[in-house]
Amino acid sequence: MGSYRWWARSSVLSISLFAVCGTCVDNGQVTPQEERAKTTEGDSSQMSHTLDQLVEQNHKLEQQNKELMDQIDSLRRVLTKEPVKAPETVQQPATTASTTANPQQGSETSAANTFAAQEEPYKWGRYTPNFGYKVADTDRGDISISIYSYARYLNQLGLDPTYKDAFGNIKTVQQRQDFQLQKVQIKFLGWMLDPKFRYFLYAWSSNASQGLPAQVVLAGNLNYSFNKFVSIGAGIRSLPGTRSVEGNFPFWLGVDTRLIADEFFRPSYTSGVWAWGQITKRLDYITMIGNNLSTLGVSAAQLNNGFNTFSNSLVWKPTTGEFGPGFGDFEQHQNLATRLAAHYTRSDEDKQEQPNSDSFENTQIRLEDGSVIFTPNLFGKGVSVTDVRYQMASFDGGIKYHGLSLEGEYFLRWLDHFKGPGTVGLSSIFSQGFQMQASAMALPKTLQFYLGQSTVYGKYGNPWDFRAGLNYFPFHNKVLRWNNEFLYLHHSPVGYTSVPFALGGTGSIFHTNLELAF
């Protein structure tokens, strides 16, 4: 190619020189030396211009290459600091392609993405559902803040105004209609010094119970995980006597409300020590020793000196090894998930260490008609129970599949070893009951319908309830939920200001709730 260009250029020059020479001979105006000088000067100018263009293009390419290398280095630094940030890795090829097509626009886009990836996690912290936002993350420990709250409209005007207990006494039923920012819970959780050593501290209030004991609670616990088989904890937690107190709050079908059979039989929160973990891959346990059945609103001076409150649970998940965090199949299980569980709780309780009947979020030992067993003269004139042994067992099972769930639980309770004036010869009291709940995701992760029913059977009555509800998840997650629920009660044996049902109530109740949980 070079020889051809040289031959062509030589031919052109020869012809030009021949023509120029002819002209010079005829006209005598321009010499051959002058013509050659002009031609050489023109070629040099053109070549110089071409070289300048090539140098400029090469400079632009070098600049583009430098920008690309800067972007690659920035993304590598981000990946080194945040190895779990998959979105940045996925976006890298698209960023490079756009840079090649339009270097300036691609550079700005990549810089913006890199800035967001670098700055946002450190400024705002990572978010984990039900664990909140991580606000500090160091090699000595971390801390996350999580908030749970809900606003409730409650209408109990459909209840009968009075009821008759099992002993013939006429009592008034509390009827309410009000709006409440019902509950606020602020949780602080994380690890300190060793990732296996964790803390869970919280502030908890019930605004509907203003002025009552334990309306505001500051509590929590500390725990250490040795391995997947053994973890230990100390502090305040729920005794694992039924499914709803295993630790799955607030992932219930209703908002912060149980069926009345569960509320009647279950133990509550207390201080103590516990252990939990796996026995096998699909069999979990929790075992706990506590001060009493319910410590909220009870001072240490009211407790007896014996550690005689025990509670245990065994949970077997035979098919998939998991069952989701709570009730209902929000997770849309594609394989049949199953659960079978057993619970047992025992406690020696006395009148002094039982909370007042109106205290917030507590359980009291009641008869099926709602009467507190420590009520003076309850079983006759001069008969007053001061001490009782409480034993309760429950068995639950459930299935979840493609947004559908069916879950049930059976309860048994024994009250005996009575002490107090006139209690000699007082026979033991046995109660039993069940609950069933069914739910369906009409629209996956958006719209859920549910039904529930429970009954308590015993010597002093057979109360029952029924409920139907609708949950709407506007952001397709459990962070925000709008719940609407209709209840029908028949002689409810439980009720206080923190729950939608009323003690002794018969009739209809409606409540709607806007729940926030992050």
Side-chain angles (χ1 to χ4, degrees), residues 415-461:
L415 302 178
D416 54 21
H417 288 198
F418 300 108
K419 294 181 182 180
T423 59
V424 176
L426 189 61
S427 60
S428 63
I429 300 172
F430 173 70
S431 307
Q432 59 185 322
F434 75 92
Q435 66 177 10
M436 294 293 296
Q437 298 185 80
S439 68
M441 297 298 302
L443 295 174
K445 299 187 183 300
T446 304
L447 194 63
Q448 180 185 53
F449 296 94
Y450 65 89
L451 299 172
Q453 196 271 324
S454 75
T455 302
V456 178
Y457 300 100
K459 179 179 179 181
Y460 299 96

Side-chain angles (χ1 to χ4, degrees), residues 63-206:
Q63 184 66 24
Q64 292 176 18
N65 186 62
K66 183 178 181 302
E67 292 175 355
L68 288 173
M69 292 306 298
D70 290 342
Q71 295 166 21
I72 292 172
D73 290 340
S74 297
L75 290 174
R76 281 176 176 168
R77 287 195 296 271
V78 173
L79 291 173
T80 300
K81 293 180 181 179
E82 299 290 338
V84 297
K85 288 289 182 178
E88 285 75 17
T89 304
V90 173
Q91 292 174 359
Q92 171 68 12
T95 303
T96 305
S98 64
T99 304
T100 304
N102 189 338
Q104 184 176 359
Q105 181 180 357
S107 177
E108 292 173 353
T109 303
S110 177
N113 291 339
T114 302
F115 176 82
Q118 288 178 330
E119 295 297 328
E120 186 172 335
Y122 302 103
K123 183 176 180 181
W124 298 108
R126 293 183 297 276
Y127 170 70
T128 303
N130 204 41
F131 289 91
Y133 290 95
K134 185 165 289 187
V135 296
D137 189 2
T138 74
D139 57 358
R140 296 291 184 92
D142 66 13
I143 182 172
S144 295
I145 297 178
S146 175
I147 292 177
Y148 175 80
S149 184
Y150 63 95
R152 168 177 287 171
Y153 165 73
L154 174 65
N155 188 327
Q156 297 177 332
L157 300 182
L159 296 177
D160 295 342
T162 61
Y163 76 100
K164 181 187 293 187
D165 67 16
F167 304 95
N169 302 305
I170 303 298
K171 297 181 179 180
T172 302
V173 174
Q174 182 187 50
Q175 295 173 298
R176 292 168 48 200
Q177 180 179 217
D178 53 49
F179 291 98
Q180 297 285 344
L181 182 64
Q182 183 77 14
K183 180 174 289 184
V184 176
Q185 183 179 25
I186 304 174
K187 299 179 285 186
F188 303 88
L189 59 165
W191 64 271
M192 179 59 65
L193 301 178
D194 184 337
K196 293 184 177 182
F197 177 62
R198 303 191 63 84
Y199 60 90
F200 174 47
L201 308 172
Y202 56 86
W204 187 5
S205 74
S206 175

